[in-house]
Amino acid sequence: MRILVVNVNTTESMTESIAAQARAVAAPGTEIVGLTPFIGADSVEGNFESYLAAIGVLDRVLAYDEPYDAVVQAGFGEHGQEGLKEVLEVPVVDITDAAAHLACLLGYRYSVVTTLDRAVPLIEERLMLGGVADHCASVRASGLGVLELEGDQDVVLAAITDQAVRAIKEDGAEVLVLGCGGMAGLDAAVREATGAPTVDGVAAAVKLAESLVNLGLKTSKVRTYAPPRPKTVVNWPLHRLLQR
């Protein structure tokens, strides 16, 4: 089985970290291929960058010319998975949906700890679209920018843990969700510090993708995610214009 794990930003080191976490949880025999978009921002922290990332991710996946069995979109609260589901036959799993659905299995209410405050509305909207907002106690911002997650890990963990503890004490959260692909691999440390189950979206998405493939399940093409109607799309795909 081969799973494409696509970073939504263009920072290669973050793609490598995300792919490493994906490989750490993947079953024997599952190959993880980490992909970085050819276009986009080095970090995705708002609507403009998120919409740009949606195009970049779609283009990057279409440029991959080897067989694969599933795609994981490794951006928390970002746009784009719907387009992937239309054009691909294989399962597409977004880390936001994967983490939230698993969190709902582990407790009555969960909280998301993300990066900057401006990302909170995007995540809240994504949770509503995914049908998992009713059990979300809160979405809290750690105050860290996405690229700061690659800095001093003691500082990073302290900021995330502080909001995680507040979510439990003040918001009634029973389960915690790490709200950024760049937080991949920090779940064990947060779980130890808080005593609450902590879900890493990258790990959750990889395991759900494996399950869908093993069960022979694919995205429904009956209505919402039916293939796009044939028409002329100017200057698409981008990777051909960029000669990638």
Side-chain angles (χ1 to χ4, degrees):
M1 183 189 308
R2 178 181 291 160
I3 299 176
L4 306 185
V5 178
V6 194
N7 183 9
V8 297
N9 67 46
T10 56
T11 300
E12 289 284 357
S13 58
M14 191 158 287
T15 301
E16 293 169 5
S17 297
I18 290 169
Q21 174 64 0
R23 293 186 185 105
V25 301
T30 296
E31 178 187 0
I32 299 295
V33 178
L35 297 179
T36 304
F38 297 131
I39 66 160
D42 59 358
S43 64
V44 179
E45 297 168 333
N47 279 288
F48 166 71
E49 294 152 3
S50 182
Y51 279 106
L52 189 59
I55 298 171
V57 168
L58 180 58
D59 179 69
R60 185 63 187 90
V61 172
L62 293 179
Y64 188 81
D65 58 4
E66 299 292 331
Y68 55 92
D69 301 287
V71 173
V72 167
Q73 178 170 297
F76 210 94
E78 309 305 345
H79 301 89
Q81 63 165 301
E82 294 84 0
L84 284 170
K85 288 178 178 179
E86 283 192 10
V87 301
L88 301 180
E89 294 293 330
V90 302
V92 175
V93 183
D94 178 85
I95 66 171
T96 320
D97 295 344
H101 279 288
L102 285 190
C104 288
L105 298 177
L106 300 173
Y108 182 67
R109 293 176 71 77
Y110 68 91
S111 283
V112 178
V113 180
T114 188
T115 51
L116 301 177
D117 182 66
R118 66 178 298 160
V120 171
L122 279 75
I123 293 172
E124 291 175 336
E125 182 179 55
R126 182 71 254 171
L127 296 175
M128 286 189 285
L129 288 172
V132 286
D134 286 349
H135 289 275
C136 182
S138 60
V139 180
R140 284 180 166 265
S142 65
L144 297 169
V146 170
L147 297 184
E148 290 181 88
L149 297 173
E150 296 189 315
D152 187 319
Q153 291 302 285
D154 289 337
V155 173
V156 170
L157 282 171
I160 294 172
T161 301
D162 175 63
Q163 292 302 316
V165 170
R166 289 172 180 267
I168 294 169
K169 292 183 176 180
E170 300 173 15
D171 306 331
E174 301 172 3
V175 181
L176 301 167
V177 170
L178 300 181
C180 180
M183 295 178 181
L186 300 179
D187 50 314
V190 175
R191 186 183 309 123
E192 182 178 355
T194 62
T198 304
V199 183
D200 168 19
V202 173
V206 168
K207 300 312 290 184
L208 283 177
E210 287 181 328
S211 296
L212 291 172
V213 173
N214 287 332
L215 291 169
L217 296 173
K218 298 181 179 181
T219 302
S220 172
K221 298 297 180 179
V222 172
R223 188 183 186 189
T224 305
Y225 300 122
R229 296 179 62 199
K231 60 186 67 177
T232 300
V233 180
V234 179
N235 293 329
W236 180 261
L238 292 176
H239 62 269
R240 292 180 183 170
L241 297 177
L242 298 171
Q243 297 183 334
R244 295 297 187 99

